[in-house]
């Protein structure tokens, strides 16, 4: 019997989930829930209904795993605990500093309801976290590095768009190649924020806007840009739409460490992603976690989990026997 | 209380285990077991006894996890099931084609004894297998590539040493850079054996040996060399000892795949290792698996496991709370 999936929130991530479900024959999309007027939301999968978000709980017996596609700032802290009272759920909560409190809230709700909730699924947090964990467990005496990009940061793009005189913007985070090379060579460099990444901004200004002021406001913006070497290019809306419509991303997790009686040997573990579509890849990880959530709950587990708690085999539709035969 | 470790077999891998145990403060080495005369085996850790292999079972109450460091050809198929009747065990059984039958034999023994046995721990099988599994679960529509090297293949070095007139030899497996680049670029090439790796051999010949015959015998050796572009260099024993004493290895696991409603987006997942010491890195993975084995058995699990079955958090000495706070 296939795993019945619901999607709560139909933006870029929700559409990515819909596409990923289509690629996994053991899954079936049952419904999409939205806070917009359902009549205004047209989805890709024929025959699947779109309902108002409030109706979700009524469908708790028709959905095995509900995937929550809201934002981490205000949606998920409320939605994930609330919906874990009715469903196995998966979210991609990505405010690293608030993961512990989100975990506690979701754990209480899921345990009370006998459900499994997987939080912070995706690639960072998610696959990058897993690779940090594996590499730390294997090489206790070492140093971690995470680089992001080249890719679009939606948070930084939004920050630019809030500047007066800016019509539209797209910001790329780019790892510094020489820093990457030093890390890969096992040199264990101490790297400042500025030495790890640069920021590249494509900005569409309103007619007559003061470009020098906009550029200066971007480059000096605290937290977002002031600690980085930032380049600003002003382009037209047409150019932005034509050349910067995608949401590519990726990055690198590298750990180098020592082994041996006198720490005489060095090792470098590297994991990297090159993604054409950040939301679609995130969705693909989430959907694999939904499979694991359904299976863990069937086996009697309850409560909040992260990818750290999921036996890798549970992410796959293949049996243990087939996995050992084909992938081990 | 620390995890009490025993080592069965004290070659390169056994010594690697000893070094890795030293790096993990939650572990303690209790004994080394050998098939040689124990008096002839001197180990690095002060105060730890060396016993004959037959004595192992007598110590079943003093050791939490016994790590089996024998070879996959003849040792482990016998030792792992036999010792899983007395201990939680971890081995690095690496004959991929025979993993299913090894699993069955070990599973029966471990279940009967209420023990946990982790087989095929290391990097391939092991971390490379895990990365194949994760990448397949995330990108169901894609293609896998595994490259090995640059590194020493002990099996191939041994094969050269069996040729008449050869005193010593060291064989390096080297991935073909252009093939790697094509895979990384998401081109999904179809690659023959010859297109993926080359083989580089350093050979010490006996005095007066027919070098042309040796070179020809190497290059035409079925299974080992005939399907590869192979280069043979004759060098002196001194040069071999000076320049080729280490056991470096490594490699790459890459999966590229498509997502999107019309498969319009491509993604590349890459995992790579650069290892100064193949046996020490393998040992470091095994020791993390020993931690997981002890914990899984404490929680009431029994039977044979692979890294596919181990929740990643169980490999780490840190608590779930600490892992979520620091690595997620």
């Amino acid at each position: 019997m296939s795993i019945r999936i619901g999607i709560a929130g139909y933006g870029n991530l929700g559409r990515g989930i819909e596409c990923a479900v289509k690629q996994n024959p053991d899954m079936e999309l049952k419904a999409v829930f939205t806070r917009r007027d359902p009549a205004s939301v047209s989805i890709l999968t024929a025959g699947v209904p779109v309902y108002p978000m409030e109706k979700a709980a009524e469908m708790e017996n028709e959905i095995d795993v509900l995937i929550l596609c809201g934002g981490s700032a205000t949606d998920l802290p409320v939605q994930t605990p609330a919906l874990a009272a009715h469903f196995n759920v998966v979210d991609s909560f990505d405010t690293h500093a608030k993961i512990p409190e989100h975990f506690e809230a979701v754990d209480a709700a899921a345990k009370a309801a006998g459900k499994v909730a997987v939080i912070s699924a995706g690639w960072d947090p998610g696959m990058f976290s897993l690779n940090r964990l594996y590499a730390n467990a294997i090489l206790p005496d070492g140093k971690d590095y995470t680089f992001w990009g080249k890719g679009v940061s939606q948070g930084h793009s939004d920050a630019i768009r809030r500047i007066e005189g800016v019509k539209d913007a797209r910001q790329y985070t780019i790892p510094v190649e020489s820093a990457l090379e030093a890390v890969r060579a096992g040199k264990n460099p101490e790297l400042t924020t500025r030495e790890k990444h640069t920021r590249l901004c494509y900005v569409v200004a309103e007619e007559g806007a003061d470009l020098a002021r906009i550029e200066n406001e971007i480059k000096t913006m605290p937290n977002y840009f002031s600690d980085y070497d930032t380049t600003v290019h002003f382009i037209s809306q047409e150019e932005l739409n034509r050349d910067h419509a995608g949401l590519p991303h990726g990055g690198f997790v590298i750990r180098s460490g020592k082994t041996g009686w006198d720490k005489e040997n060095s090792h470098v573990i590297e994991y990297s992603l090159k993604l054409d579509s950040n939301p679609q890849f995130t969705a693909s990880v989430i959907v694999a976690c939904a499979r694991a959530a359904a299976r863990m709950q069937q086996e009697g587990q309850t409560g909040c989990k992260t990818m750290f708690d999921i036996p890798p085999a549970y992410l796959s539709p293949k049996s243990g026997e087939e996995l050992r035969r084909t992938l081990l």
Side-chain angles (χ1 to χ4, degrees), chain A:
Chain A
M1 217 182 68
S2 57
I3 301 168
R4 299 167 303 172
I5 301 289
I7 297 174
Y10 194 72
N12 281 331
L13 184 60
R15 258 190 308 278
I17 300 291
E18 186 180 18
C19 295
V21 167
K22 182 190 180 198
Q23 285 189 298
N24 284 283
D26 62 334
M27 299 192 174
E28 168 191 6
L29 183 61
K30 290 299 284 187
V32 170
F33 303 98
T34 179
R35 285 179 303 191
R36 290 177 277 166
D37 173 7
S40 75
V41 175
S42 113
I43 70 169
L44 301 164
T45 313
V48 171
V50 180
Y51 295 124
M53 192 71 85
E54 311 80 65
K55 202 179 142 72
E58 292 172 33
M59 288 188 69
E60 64 177 38
N61 294 320
E62 290 158 68
I63 286 172
D64 296 311
V65 186
L66 184 65
I67 296 176
L68 309 184
C69 301
S72 296
T74 56
D75 300 334
L76 298 176
V78 178
Q79 288 177 353
T80 312
L83 290 162
H86 299 279
F87 299 95
N88 299 313
V89 297
V90 185
D91 79 17
S92 58
F93 185 80
D94 66 358
T95 311
H96 291 259
K98 293 191 173 168
I99 286 173
E101 67 186 88
H102 189 56
F103 183 93
E104 293 304 328
V106 174
D107 193 48
K111 279 199 175 125
K115 301 293 184 186
V116 166
V118 178
I119 62 163
S120 302
W123 61 275
D124 197 359
M127 291 308 299
F128 273 20
S129 324
L130 269 181
N131 276 280
R132 288 187 283 261
L133 167 53
Y134 277 117
N136 274 268
I138 296 168
L139 296 175
D141 187 350
K143 197 159 159 45
D144 287 320
Y145 296 87
T146 301
F147 292 87
W148 295 274
K150 181 184 176 175
V152 171
S153 163
Q154 299 192 67
H156 287 78
S157 302
D158 289 344
I160 299 173
R161 278 190 286 261
R162 286 192 293 265
I163 293 174
E164 203 193 312
V166 171
K167 249 178 82 182
D168 205 349
R170 192 59 59 116
Q171 193 268 183
Y172 293 91
T173 305
I174 303 171
V176 174
E177 193 61 37
S178 59
L180 254 177
E181 285 310 317
V183 169
R184 279 194 188 122
K187 290 179 184 166
N188 280 7
E190 291 294 335
L191 297 168
T192 64
T193 299
R194 191 177 299 274
E195 287 166 339
K196 287 182 71 184
H197 297 94
T198 57
R199 299 200 176 277
L200 175 60
C201 313
Y202 292 94
V203 180
V204 181
E206 285 167 4
E207 221 180 289
D210 179 347
L211 303 188
R213 176 191 52 80
I214 290 173
E215 180 166 343
N216 185 57
E217 280 194 40
I218 294 172
K219 289 185 171 176
T220 57
M221 193 186 298
N223 302 320
Y224 286 89
F225 293 99
S226 62
D227 294 337
Y228 299 85
D229 289 338
T230 300
T231 307
V232 177
H233 294 298
F234 290 95
I235 61 175
S236 69
Q237 185 75 57
E238 292 67 41
E239 286 172 298
L240 192 86
N241 295 348
R242 186 191 66 207
D243 301 336
H244 305 285
L247 292 170
H249 219 313
F252 305 82
V253 172
I254 304 175
R255 185 172 175 86
S256 63
K258 302 277 189 188
T259 66
W261 195 252
D262 299 310
K263 303 186 181 174
E264 64 273 22
N265 286 307
S266 290
H267 308 273
V268 180
I269 304 172
E270 175 170 346
Y271 181 78
S272 70
L273 296 173
K274 273 203 304 263
L275 313 176
D276 272 1
S277 165
N278 183 355
Q280 284 182 6
F281 188 83
T282 301
S284 300
V285 177
I286 289 174
V287 159
C289 290
R291 180 181 289 120
R295 181 158 164 197
M296 291 167 96
Q297 196 235 4
Q298 252 173 6
E299 294 185 352
Q301 297 194 48
T302 64
C304 190
K305 313 284 176 189
T306 73
M307 294 188 81
F308 291 170
D309 306 306
I310 299 175
Y314 284 32
L315 299 169
S316 169
K318 296 184 181 174
S319 70
E321 188 280 328
E322 189 177 358
L323 289 174
R324 287 189 293 275
R325 192 165 41 77
T326 59
L327 293 177
L328 198 63

